[in-house]
């Protein structure tokens, strides 16, 4: 049974992100996050105590310790006590939880943040711990190797070739030239093979970073932002975990999420895709039916900056920021989780003309 | 703007034990989920979305296990959210699921929380050394013992109160077939003679380490009308958080707990919790937290909580039964413990709690807390649909 459409208009009214860097040894996670929180609050003039609901996304495995998000909460300044929650996922899903909270009418505004430091460990190794713990994880297949399987499937299916993948990578880094927060910018060689058929340029940089967003409902959003990015729909779907039962050249979960979010009702002009590997952009363009007339990843995308656990939230923030600036009227934002695009979230954002 | 009323129409638990060597993590969660579906007379295809919670990923050594568990929980092609709010997570997870129904985003949601502590070592999981950060080398008991001491000093409670709670909860657990500890030969003297671990907390006043999962099916008004068994209705639900460490923090009775309870009572129209609530499933991992939370939750005036416990009010046949299921002191799959509190509260108002049923329970409170007594999640459920 189809649910009743959202009963409340909710918008992204502010977005801030850190400058993403390969290492931030001098900063704790809280110190990485604090300036971003201040920026996003300053942009709206709101204080922590004005916010109706707070939700964050992060990962203990990146931090290397249990309950790592508790320290970030101290940074938020949760006093007097706040209504707050946390997802052990990318911050994009924290935004989803906050959106639902506002839809219930229990909050009119929400602060959402996501952060991750990949530099203290080996993120390729760390991500293997996401895999089936009994049969797959003991083999330590890393994230690049799994993405390479997906890329090779696409090439074998005739959906792409190495030259096309290189073009995706080059376009992303060129676009990132205009993004002061990006980690990898401007034209650079595609590099050597990391895991065939993927070269360095096909893979995301390893880096640390944080992002934050403020959501608001109805007139509150209009008060806080000259041109709010209204969330017209948002949905997320997951697929089977085992790669052996999935068609890696397709993304049915992304397609389903887009459909439920209303993405196919009218064309979008912009898409911010969370595609950590160049070949995944090929999969997503097809699943999300993005034509050549759609501006894809004007920020440079994840190939230019990949702070794990914030990268998906940044896609929503970048898409919203383009609407805030009047550069887009209808944008699609996408976030992913798990190996080879296992889980996908799609939001459709619009500005009022 | 009106919210959709939310009903609990299915509850499922595993038999909680120290180690479930016979099932994988996936097998464990599947068992609880299947029981919840059976209770609701629904099938996997009736579920629109899955909301899953557990405490730190280091407790099993699986990062973001919802990815691996998608297949086992019938979530393929559906939305799946993973909540983590430390020890309160079981409660928070249920509230996130409840909001999906209340906001009319989905009509029927499976929510589940688990911990399979035997896969790893929780003490290790909480004690990983991190540069420039104080590790919790003493485990949770070492962190909470000084706050219990502060409570005793502040209220003048006699040092016998903690053992009364443990003795009560362990006896209640004997009536709950899913409880982990079934100590048939328990006596008050045995509790009092058990070794001192973190003064004033004795061995028998601490929670066990359990493997277990708890699941609930939440649905809307139409779903409740189709359910074969009575529903529990959500009358109020809230989360509150405060910082771990700061000069103004009251570790004995945190402000976030007070605010959270007040919000739930406001939503549910409860003016006098002591009179209007029939049963409480309270997160009591160390026995002294019963009198402490009685005050924090507004059931007793400040300094008076231990008197309620001492006078037998919180016994199963008392005026305000607390933890008729045996509570966290008898069963502690950490990430699931909060959801078990919420689910047991639902069982009470559905009249489905079996031998540990509180007679005539119409309104029950489920309570969870976590972190450095800084994260709180609560809901109040009733036998009748909410009228406000």
């Amino acid at each position: 049974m189809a649910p009743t459409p959202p009963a409340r208009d909710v918008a992204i009214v502010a977005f801030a992100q850190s400058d993403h860097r390969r290492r931030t040894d001098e900063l704790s996670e809280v110190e990485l996050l604090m300036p971003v929180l201040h920026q996003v609050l300053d942009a709206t003039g709101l204080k922590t105590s004005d916010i109706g609901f707070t939700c964050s996304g992060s990962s203990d495995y990146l931090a290397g310790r249990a309950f790592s998000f508790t320290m970030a909460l101290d940074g938020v300044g949760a006093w007097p006590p706040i209504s707050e929650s946390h997802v052990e996922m990318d911050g994009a899903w924290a935004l989803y939880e906050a959106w639902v909270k506002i839809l219930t009418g229990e909050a009119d505004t929400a602060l959402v943040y996501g952060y991750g430091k990949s530099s203290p460990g080996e993120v390729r190794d760390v991500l293997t711990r996401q895999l089936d713990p009994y049969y797959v994880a003991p083999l330590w297949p890393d994230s690049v190797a799994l993405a390479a399987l997906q890329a090779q499937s696409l090439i074998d299916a005739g959906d792409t070739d190495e030259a096309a993948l290189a073009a995706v990578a080059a376009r992303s880094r060129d676009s990132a030239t205009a993004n002061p927060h990006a980690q990898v910018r401007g034209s650079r060689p595609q590099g050597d093979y990391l895991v065939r058929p993927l070269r360095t340029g096909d893979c995301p940089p390893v880096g640390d970073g944080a992002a934050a967003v403020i959501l608001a409902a109805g007139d509150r959003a209009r008060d806080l932002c000259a041109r709010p990015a209204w969330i017209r729909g948002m949905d997320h779907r997951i697929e089977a975990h085992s790669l052996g039962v999935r068609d890696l050249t397709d993304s049915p979960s992304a397609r389903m999420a887009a459909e439920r979010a209303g993405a196919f009702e009218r064309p979008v002009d912009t898409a911010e895709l969370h595609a950590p590997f160049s070949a995944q952009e090929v999969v997503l363009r097809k699943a999300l039916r993005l034509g050549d007339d759609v501006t894809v990843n004007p920020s440079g995308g994840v190939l230019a900056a990949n702070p794990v656990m914030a990268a998906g939230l940044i896609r929503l923030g970048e898409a919203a920021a383009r609407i805030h600036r009047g550069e887009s009227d209808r944008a699609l934002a996408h976030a992913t989780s798990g190996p080879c695009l296992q889980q996908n979230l799609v939001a459709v954002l619009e500005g009022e003309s | 703007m009106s919210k959709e009323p939310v009903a609990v129409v299915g509850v499922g638990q595993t038999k909680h034990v120290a180690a479930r060597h016979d099932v994988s993590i996936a097998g464990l969660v599947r068992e609880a989920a299947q029981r919840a579906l059976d209770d609701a007379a629904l099938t996997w295809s009736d579920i629109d979305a899955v909301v899953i919670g557990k405490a730190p990923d280091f407790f099993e050594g699986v990062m973001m296990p919802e990815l691996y568990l998608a297949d086992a929980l019938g979530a393929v092609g559906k939305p799946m959210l993973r909540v983590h709010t430390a020890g309160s997570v079981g409660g928070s997870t249920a509230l996130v699921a409840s909001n999906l129904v209340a906001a009319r985003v989905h009509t029927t949601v499976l929510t589940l929380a688990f911990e399979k502590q035997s896969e790893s070592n929780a003490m290790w999981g909480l004690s990983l050394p991190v540069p420039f950060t104080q590790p919790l080398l003493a485990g949770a008991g070492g962190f909470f013992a000084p706050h219990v001491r502060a409570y005793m000093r502040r209220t003048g409670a006699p040092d016998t109160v903690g053992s009364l709670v443990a003795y009560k909860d362990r006896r209640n657990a004997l009536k709950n077939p899913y409880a982990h500890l079934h100590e048939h030969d328990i006596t008050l003297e045995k509790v009092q003679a058990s070794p001192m671990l973190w003064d004033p907390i004795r061995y028998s006043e601490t929670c066990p380490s359990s493997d277990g999962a708890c699941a609930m099916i939440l649905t809307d008004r139409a779903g409740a009308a189709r359910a074969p068994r009575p529903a529990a209705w959500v009358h109020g639900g809230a989360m509150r958080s405060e910082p771990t460490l700061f000069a103004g923090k009251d570790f004995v009775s945190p402000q976030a707990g007070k605010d959270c309870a007040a919000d739930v009572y406001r939503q549910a129209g409860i003016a006098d919790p002591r009179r209007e609530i029939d049963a409480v499933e309270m997160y009591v991992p160390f026995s002294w937290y019963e009198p402490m939370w009685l005050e924090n939750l507004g059931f007793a005036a400040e300094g008076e909580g231990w008197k309620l416990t001492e006078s037998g009010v919180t016994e199963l046949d008392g005026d305000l039964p607390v933890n008729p299921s045996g509570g966290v002191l008898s069963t502690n799959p950490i990430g699931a413990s909060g959801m078990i509190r919420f689910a047991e509260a639902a069982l009470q108002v559905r009249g489905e709690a079996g031998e540990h049923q509180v007679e005539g329970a119409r309104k029950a409170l489920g309570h969870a807390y976590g972190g450095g007594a800084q994260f709180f999640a609560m809901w109040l459920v009733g036998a009748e649909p909410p009228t406000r």
Side-chain angles (χ1 to χ4, degrees), chain A residues 12-350:
Chain A
I12 296 175
V13 296
F15 167 57
Q17 62 181 315
S18 60
D19 293 340
H20 310 297
R21 292 188 279 142
R22 178 61 188 88
R23 309 198 69 87
T24 54
D25 294 342
E26 73 285 12
L27 298 175
S28 69
E29 285 177 327
V30 185
E31 290 166 324
L32 188 66
L33 181 62
M34 287 290 280
V36 175
L37 291 176
H38 284 298
Q39 274 176 46
V40 82
L41 288 166
D42 288 350
T44 54
L46 295 172
K47 294 189 286 291
T48 305
S49 53
D50 301 325
I51 297 288
F53 183 65
T54 300
C55 199
S56 61
S58 67
S59 164
D60 279 348
Y61 255 82
L62 280 185
R65 59 161 296 198
F67 299 152
S68 59
F69 58 91
T70 60
M71 291 300 151
L73 183 73
D74 286 12
V76 171
W79 189 260
I82 58 173
S83 175
E84 187 262 351
S85 185
H86 173 261
V87 296
E88 191 81 0
M89 307 177 78
D90 188 287
W93 277 267
L95 190 150
Y96 180 85
E97 184 183 326
W99 176 66
V100 171
K101 179 80 175 180
I102 294 177
L103 290 182
T104 66
E106 289 171 14
D108 294 329
T109 54
L111 170 66
V112 178
Y113 58 93
Y115 60 92
K117 284 184 67 160
S118 295
S119 62
E122 294 292 331
V123 74
R124 283 170 73 173
D125 290 341
V126 170
L127 291 176
T128 66
R129 305 298 89 191
Q130 286 185 336
L131 304 169
D132 176 322
Y134 303 102
Y135 296 108
V136 185
L139 304 173
W140 296 84
D142 76 27
S143 47
V144 179
L146 296 176
L149 271 178
Q150 185 168 31
Q152 190 60 52
S153 313
L154 280 168
I155 291 171
D156 292 347
D159 287 359
T160 191
D161 55 34
E162 289 191 35
L165 298 183
V168 168
R171 194 208 72 239
S172 297
R173 294 188 301 253
D174 282 348
S175 300
T177 309
N179 178 359
H181 305 287
Q183 185 180 332
V184 179
R185 277 176 285 177
S187 64
R188 54 170 70 200
Q190 178 70 346
D192 297 328
Y193 286 115
L194 209 53
V195 180
R196 279 179 190 268
L198 297 179
R199 295 172 182 269
T200 315
D202 293 306
C203 304
V206 176
D208 304 347
V213 153
I214 288 177
L215 301 180
D219 287 341
R220 200 72 205 284
R222 292 182 187 91
D223 292 343
L224 295 171
C225 179
R227 192 170 193 254
W230 299 103
I231 300 172
R232 295 302 185 207
M234 180 156 43
D235 192 69
H236 59 97
R237 301 279 150 170
I238 197 165
E239 291 174 39
H241 182 61
S242 169
L243 300 182
V245 300
R246 288 160 58 190
D247 175 1
L248 295 181
T249 68
D250 195 9
S251 181
S253 60
R255 185 183 301 110
M256 205 182 301
E259 197 157 8
R260 300 281 295 200
F264 301 142
E265 287 164 17
R266 285 190 296 118
V268 297
D269 54 48
T270 303
E272 277 285 344
L273 305 181
H274 186 182
F277 298 91
S278 59
Q280 293 175 344
E281 184 179 305
V282 177
V283 176
L284 291 168
R285 274 179 182 269
K286 187 172 73 172
L288 300 172
R289 301 179 203 163
L290 301 175
D292 291 337
D293 53 336
V294 178
T295 306
V296 173
N297 288 343
S299 65
V302 191
L303 287 172
N306 184 33
V308 178
M309 299 299 143
L313 179 62
I314 291 170
R315 306 282 69 77
L316 286 141
E318 288 282 5
R322 276 178 74 83
I323 288 171
H324 297 161
R325 294 192 299 261
E327 294 164 9
S328 167
D329 292 323
R330 182 173 157 91
L332 180 151
H334 161 266
T336 196
S337 180
C340 299
L341 303 173
Q342 186 193 346
Q343 188 174 19
N344 294 284
L345 177 147
V346 173
V348 176
L349 306 174
E350 280 184 356

Side-chain angles (χ1 to χ4, degrees), chain A residues 1-8 53 59-71 73-74 77-90 93-94 96-97 99-106 126-134 234-242 245 253 256 260 308-309 337-339 342-343, chain B residues 1-3 23-26 48 55-71 75-87 92 96 99-100 102-107 116 119 124-126 128-130 133-134 220 237-246 248-249 255-256 259 267 334 371 374-375:
Chain A
M1 194 172 76
T4 316
R8 272 191 117 180
F53 183 65
S59 164
D60 279 348
Y61 255 82
L62 280 185
R65 59 161 296 198
F67 299 152
S68 59
F69 58 91
T70 60
M71 291 300 151
L73 183 73
D74 286 12
W79 189 260
I82 58 173
S83 175
E84 187 262 351
S85 185
H86 173 261
V87 296
E88 191 81 0
M89 307 177 78
D90 188 287
W93 277 267
Y96 180 85
E97 184 183 326
W99 176 66
V100 171
K101 179 80 175 180
I102 294 177
L103 290 182
T104 66
E106 289 171 14
V126 170
L127 291 176
T128 66
R129 305 298 89 191
Q130 286 185 336
L131 304 169
D132 176 322
Y134 303 102
M234 180 156 43
D235 192 69
H236 59 97
R237 301 279 150 170
I238 197 165
E239 291 174 39
H241 182 61
S242 169
V245 300
S253 60
M256 205 182 301
R260 300 281 295 200
V308 178
M309 299 299 143
S337 180
Q342 186 193 346
Q343 188 174 19
Chain B
M1 205 190 93
S2 76
K3 286 188 287 182
V23 287
S24 63
I25 299 170
D48 302 320
D57 292 4
F58 286 107
F59 282 4
E60 287 83 12
V62 187
M63 178 185 186
M64 301 166 74
E66 75 279 2
L67 297 165
Y68 146 69
L69 292 172
D71 310 46
V76 172
K78 296 175 185 175
M80 189 169 193
L81 263 175
R82 158 70 193 290
V83 180
H84 178 15
T85 63
S92 309
V96 173
N99 281 343
L100 285 169
R104 300 190 178 88
V105 173
H106 296 297
T107 50
K116 198 164 188 296
E119 298 274 336
W124 169 82
L126 287 174
L128 295 169
V130 176
T133 304
Q134 187 182 346
D220 61 1
M239 295 184 233
R240 285 293 183 283
S241 309
E242 67 181 42
T244 325
L245 302 165
F246 74 109
K249 184 170 169 92
Q255 188 63 39
D259 291 359
Q267 292 173 38
I334 299 177
Q374 63 185 129
F375 301 115

